[in-house]
Amino acid sequence: MRPNLLHALPKAVVAGVKKAFHPKTLLIWLACSIVAAYSGPFGTYDSDSVTELLLTWAVLLGVCIVAAYVVNEVCVVILPKATASLRNIVFVFLCAPTIGALLQFMLVNVFGKSNLDKPGFGLLTLYATLSLGFIFLVRYVFFPSVDAKTDVIAQTESALQPASLPPHSRLAKRLNIPQAARIIHITAKGHFVQVKTCSETYQTRMRFLDAVDELDGTLGLTVHRSHWVHRDAIRGWVPNAKKPYVLLENESQIPVSKTKLDKVEQFGIPKLTDVA
């Protein structure tokens, strides 16, 4: 699970609810409610009036539409690099039982339909799966460019994220380092730490361990009690040198302590020949 996933999920829920109340979605919701009111599936046909039927299905479909949009936004959060096709499959797998459970709960507990009046959870989930499958079939047949465009956007964002949008950690915010700048090296200097990006050097008074903690999961490792380096800034390491070190892309040599040798090797960093 990504570190910011729990932070992103509430935003996904809000985004899903907002999309559910888009004018086009509301128009579809109204049309489906009218059709369902006159067809009366799942034991709702025996209601006293058309108005009651319309109200019943407006509520049922409204809840299901909101749930579908929320589940879709959650899928986007948990599968940011997946293709649209894979994300749609996961969406149906998660959304169908969610809708089935919501329909069963509301038919029984809100509208008072007994188990004899309506299908069970399994059949409701099957209906939801078939309905979602039909929607995606129509989408693939008549609007294939929609998912293709989604894939292109996802691939572009994935390609850009490592270089241009590194995580904006607490340490970066503390030092007013722009989000586009990558922290590549942190060094302990007495009661201060020196923080280097590709082009600038910053210094602040704090403990080295606290500075590393404020990186908030940025990909890198502590190679020495006084040195942290970003994984993507490392060209390789020289374990057989008199004093082992990692070589950065900017030609800097950062010492590796004996207690960190196994950790550096397990990190999958290429081994280099000593250039000294």
Side-chain angles (χ1 to χ4, degrees):
M1 182 176 288
R2 293 178 298 153
N4 62 343
L5 180 57
L6 294 179
H7 178 69
L9 284 176
K11 293 183 178 180
V13 173
V14 173
V17 172
K18 287 182 178 179
K19 289 184 178 181
F21 286 90
H22 188 278
K24 290 184 179 179
T25 305
L26 293 176
L27 183 62
I28 295 174
W29 163 71
L30 179 60
C32 291
S33 298
I34 293 174
V35 172
Y38 278 93
S39 60
F42 305 156
T44 59
Y45 56 86
D46 58 352
S47 299
D48 295 333
S49 65
V50 174
T51 302
E52 185 179 348
L53 276 171
L54 183 60
L55 178 61
T56 298
W57 277 104
V59 173
L60 288 173
L61 291 174
V63 170
C64 291
I65 288 173
V66 171
Y69 272 107
V70 170
V71 171
N72 182 67
E73 291 299 316
V74 170
C75 288
V76 172
V77 169
I78 63 177
L79 298 170
K81 298 181 180 180
T83 63
S85 299
L86 175 60
R87 197 153 52 227
N88 288 341
I89 292 173
V90 175
F91 166 75
V92 173
F93 180 78
L94 295 176
C95 191
T98 300
I99 290 178
L102 286 172
L103 283 174
Q104 184 179 47
F105 175 82
M106 296 193 69
L107 284 171
V108 174
N109 297 283
V110 178
F111 298 105
K113 302 299 178 182
S114 68
N115 289 329
L116 297 176
D117 296 330
K118 64 164 190 62
F121 169 73
L123 198 53
L124 288 171
T125 300
L126 177 61
Y127 288 151
T129 302
L130 294 175
S131 299
L132 292 170
F134 176 75
I135 292 172
F136 282 118
L137 179 63
V138 171
R139 183 175 178 177
Y140 280 124
V141 172
F142 295 102
F143 307 100
S145 61
V146 174
D147 288 328
K149 183 177 180 181
T150 301
D151 285 343
V152 170
I153 293 174
Q155 292 169 4
T156 301
E157 290 179 345
S158 177
L160 289 176
Q161 188 171 1
S164 61
L165 293 176
H168 205 196
S169 62
R170 286 176 291 159
L171 182 61
K173 293 177 181 178
R174 173 194 291 270
L175 297 174
N176 293 320
I177 298 175
Q179 186 171 6
R182 186 195 304 277
I183 295 175
I184 63 172
H185 182 205
I186 300 177
T187 309
K189 297 283 186 179
H191 296 294
F192 293 82
V193 291
Q194 191 177 79
V195 180
K196 293 183 178 181
T197 67
C198 295
S199 59
E200 301 288 343
T201 299
Y202 303 80
Q203 187 165 291
T204 185
R205 185 183 178 91
M206 66 186 305
R207 294 197 312 158
F208 174 77
L209 292 178
D210 292 337
V212 173
D213 181 64
E214 288 193 5
L215 287 168
D216 297 330
T218 300
L219 183 62
L221 70 162
T222 301
V223 298
H224 187 277
R225 64 180 182 180
S226 301
H227 296 277
W228 177 94
V229 289
H230 195 291
R231 174 61 182 87
D232 292 346
I234 301 174
R235 180 182 301 175
W237 75 303
V238 184
N240 298 323
K242 186 176 180 180
K243 293 184 178 181
Y245 62 90
V246 294
L247 180 66
L248 303 189
E249 293 292 350
N250 62 6
E251 303 298 335
S252 298
Q253 296 181 6
I254 311 300
V256 178
S257 63
K258 293 182 180 180
T259 59
K260 301 293 184 182
L261 291 175
D262 290 341
K263 184 177 180 180
V264 175
E265 186 170 10
Q266 293 172 4
F267 215 66
I269 299 172
K271 292 182 180 180
L272 303 175
T273 302
D274 191 6
V275 296

